[in-house]
Amino acid sequence: MANLLYTELLKLKRSQMFLVSILGAAAAPFICFISSLAKKAKYPDVPIRFSETFSDTNLYIVLLIGVPLYGVITSYLFNREYAESTLKNLLTIPVSRISLIVSKLVLLLIWIMMLTLIAWVLTLLFGLIGQFEGLSSAVLIDGFKQFMIGGALLFFLVSPIIFVTLLFKNYVPTIIFTIIISMVSIMVYGTEYSALLPWSAVWVIASGTFFPEYPPEYSFISVAATTVLGLAATIVYFKKIDIH
């Protein structure tokens, strides 16, 4: 397992994908920063608060940018051996298929949480540059907690994306799948149904904005069920598929 993870890190080191993903993670803080400056220029008497900036940035990440970005990363990790025709050679070492999946999942978790941390730091830095108001230890901790919860839950929800990647062995279906997820999440945002859709439920859980129509348990069950079903489908399919 450790050797597999080390191998994945070495492959990542030689790739430009990590740098590209950092640019993707920086998109949400930058967009919110520009939006805040535009708002400040239009309404100079209305203060821009750090709490709102952290919340808005995390909203962009969870509902708009995170799923496609993490979907591309997931597709990159799980489709690379297919694209380079190295999977059949790798499995003859021999390497357990489950161990291979787990090693990639561990790397994906580290990757996503690192990008989440980068986004949080950039949000803080942009806020300091823009001289936003209301910065305190409580605001920092709450913003950090929201970012980390959102990142962790989005990681769990990559399991269906992994299955789509392995099923089609191509980047395009995965990208289309993640775009559809983001579009539906945005459509239900602000309605009580966002507590039921797994990917929009991530925002509901991270921000604590639960709806009286549906208890918090519904959101947690939605995320957990999607994660388990996606992971089960991935494992069953990958163990049975013939590698050519």
Side-chain angles (χ1 to χ4, degrees):
M1 177 63 68
N3 290 334
L4 283 173
L5 182 58
Y6 179 67
T7 302
E8 293 292 337
L9 289 171
L10 287 179
K11 289 190 291 185
L12 182 61
K13 183 180 178 181
R14 302 187 185 97
S15 171
Q16 298 296 322
M17 189 63 186
F18 184 68
L19 178 59
V20 172
S21 68
I22 292 177
L23 296 177
F30 182 73
I31 291 172
C32 286
F33 175 63
I34 297 300
S35 176
S36 297
L37 291 183
K39 181 180 178 181
K40 194 173 183 178
K42 189 174 183 179
Y43 305 102
D45 297 331
V46 179
I48 307 297
R49 307 191 67 83
F50 268 97
S51 57
E52 297 173 357
T53 303
F54 280 122
S55 180
D56 291 345
T57 302
N58 198 34
L59 175 64
Y60 273 104
I61 293 173
V62 170
L63 294 187
L64 186 62
I65 296 176
V67 175
L69 175 60
Y70 302 156
V72 170
I73 295 171
T74 300
S75 183
Y76 170 79
L77 287 177
F78 284 85
N79 187 59
R80 186 171 183 179
E81 281 79 12
Y82 284 107
E84 298 176 356
S85 300
T86 58
L87 183 59
K88 58 185 178 182
N89 297 325
L90 181 62
L91 293 177
T92 59
I93 292 178
V95 172
S96 167
R97 298 193 183 197
I98 301 300
S99 296
L100 185 61
I101 290 177
V102 172
S103 66
K104 290 180 180 293
L105 283 174
V106 171
L107 178 58
L108 183 59
L109 173 60
I110 296 172
W111 197 339
I112 289 177
M113 299 313 293
M114 188 176 297
L115 293 179
T116 303
L117 180 60
I118 290 172
W120 179 82
V121 171
L122 288 176
T123 303
L124 174 60
L125 291 177
F126 284 141
L128 293 173
I129 294 172
Q131 297 181 339
F132 298 165
E133 299 181 13
L135 181 61
S136 65
S137 58
V139 169
L140 281 176
I141 293 172
D142 184 63
F144 183 78
K145 182 180 70 174
Q146 286 192 31
F147 271 64
M148 292 299 112
I149 291 175
L153 293 179
L154 285 180
F155 162 73
F156 288 129
L157 288 173
V158 299
S159 60
I161 299 174
I162 297 172
F163 176 70
V164 171
T165 299
L166 295 178
L167 183 63
F168 292 98
K169 304 175 185 61
N170 193 289
Y171 291 96
V172 176
T174 303
I175 294 173
I176 294 174
F177 181 58
T178 56
I179 291 175
I180 292 174
I181 290 173
S182 295
M183 290 176 61
V184 175
S185 297
I186 293 172
M187 285 176 57
V188 301
Y189 169 69
T191 70
E192 65 272 20
Y193 301 109
S194 62
L196 301 179
L197 182 71
W199 287 271
S200 59
V202 170
W203 166 249
V204 173
I205 295 171
S207 62
T209 54
F210 296 99
F211 293 86
E213 293 86 352
Y214 300 105
E217 291 80 6
Y218 281 52
S219 298
F220 286 102
I221 291 173
S222 175
V223 173
T226 304
T227 301
V228 171
L229 289 174
L231 187 58
T234 297
I235 292 174
V236 171
Y237 179 78
F238 191 59
K239 287 183 68 175
K240 290 186 176 181
I241 190 174
D242 292 329
I243 307 298
H244 302 288

